Amino acid sequence: MGHRRGLGELVRTSEEVAAALRANRPVVALESTLVTHGLPWPVNLDTARACEAAIRAAGAIPATIAIWHGEPTVGLLDFQLEELASSTTAFKASRRDLGVCVALKRLAGTTVSATMALAHAVGIRVFATGGIGGAHRPPAPAFDISADLVELGRTPVLVVCAGAKSILDLPRTLEILETLGVPVLGFRTDVFPTFYTAGGDLPVSARVESAAEAAAVFRDHCQLGDSGAVLANPLPEIDAIPAADFDRARQQAEADATGVTGARLTPFLLKRIAERLGPAVLIANRKLIVNNARLAAEVACFMGD
Ligand code: PSU
Ligand code: MN
């Protein structure tokens, strides 16, 4: 058994992303489980491309991350993105699955936890997604807690998201983030956003008013410790889904989810809810993901060296 190689040695970085990192230009990581498991074809591909375009328009370089037939890849090329988006057999890789996917040469979308690990391995500090995973609600087991939270507790990457969906136990999710030392910053909001529904009544740990302020907070946070941080960016209320409609769909989805456990639970609930609520949720979902990509790029531009 040789010495343990760093995660970074196994990672393939696209030429464009590698050049940007060498030149200290702003780079934003994007995850790919929302492409393989979160959104249906062809909205998934369209959303992924729109994120990359929004990041470029804001002056940063996008780095979509996935496992490409066994290769952890930072900066998917467009043909790779298209194959991933149209695949019906791609895996969902969280942090623990990285070694499995490499050794068994799998094609996989990476979750927030796996994407954070790969982004950090190559030196990317800012990452955009739709929503983070968290602690599930009953009847899921009390210990069904996403690896996203654990990774946030140990990897210094800023995750820009629209909060988390209320399929999760949001109070418990926020308590776990506090326990793990993860600041939850509200972007021009005092409350933790609830993805594509309006409202939310749980406080964030601090509010920031600008991308520059978010970058300053994250830089100082990293000087003082090793954990990540969340920047929660609410979807404008005008685009949001009424919370009562969402709750009804959630309850029906939970009733249908009997026997669905583990990594399948989150995609199952999201798919059922989207089916019940119709095209409005896809429009809202796409919009918030692209909003987050844009904000992440703005923050990355203020991160400096
Ligand atoms: N939340 C969403 N859409 C998603 C996900 C979460 O609204 O697509 C994905 C993300 O990739 C997240 C993962 O990292 O689900 C969490 O899965 P789990 O709960 O199995 O850890
Ligand atoms: Mn789980």
Side-chain angles (χ1 to χ4, degrees), residues 45-255:
L45 179 59
D46 170 65
T47 302
R49 284 178 173 158
C51 284
E52 295 196 347
I55 289 167
R56 289 186 195 283
I61 301 293
T64 302
I65 293 180
I67 315 276
W68 180 252
H69 302 288
E71 277 187 325
T73 301
V74 176
L76 288 187
L77 303 178
D78 196 66
F79 85 92
Q80 295 176 308
L81 191 59
E82 189 165 342
E83 184 181 323
L84 198 70
S86 56
S87 168
T88 54
T89 53
F91 286 87
K92 170 184 169 186
S94 86
R95 182 66 175 88
R96 71 169 176 181
D97 305 307
L98 289 175
V100 171
C101 289
V102 170
L104 305 184
K105 307 229 178 317
R106 286 183 173 170
L107 177 69
T110 46
T111 66
V112 169
S113 65
T115 306
M116 285 181 79
L118 294 171
H120 179 58
V122 302
I124 300 174
R125 291 173 292 173
V126 183
F127 162 25
T129 183
I132 54 170
H136 277 277
R137 311 161 63 116
F143 45 84
D144 186 343
I145 295 165
S146 176
D148 295 357
L149 302 187
V150 177
E151 200 63 31
L152 277 161
R154 70 178 202 187
T155 300
V157 168
L158 178 70
V159 179
V160 182
C161 63
K165 283 199 182 85
S166 31
I167 55 166
L168 299 173
D169 182 334
L170 296 181
R172 208 152 59 90
T173 298
L174 290 171
E175 290 294 346
I176 294 167
L177 288 171
E178 181 184 358
T179 301
L180 295 173
V182 178
V184 178
L185 311 174
F187 186 71
R188 298 180 182 149
T189 180
D190 296 309
V191 296
F192 187 61
T194 54
F195 205 76
Y196 50 46
T197 55
D201 52 7
L202 300 165
V204 293
S205 66
R207 171 183 175 128
V208 293
E209 298 298 340
S210 66
E213 209 170 75
V217 170
F218 186 58
R219 253 187 282 118
D220 286 343
H221 171 75
C222 291
Q223 293 287 316
L224 296 164
D226 295 323
S227 59
V230 172
L231 176 60
N233 182 28
L235 180 68
E237 202 148 326
I238 188 160
D239 298 311
I241 309 288
D245 295 355
F246 179 84
D247 273 345
R248 216 172 306 118
R250 173 181 61 76
Q251 282 162 22
Q252 287 165 336
E254 282 169 359

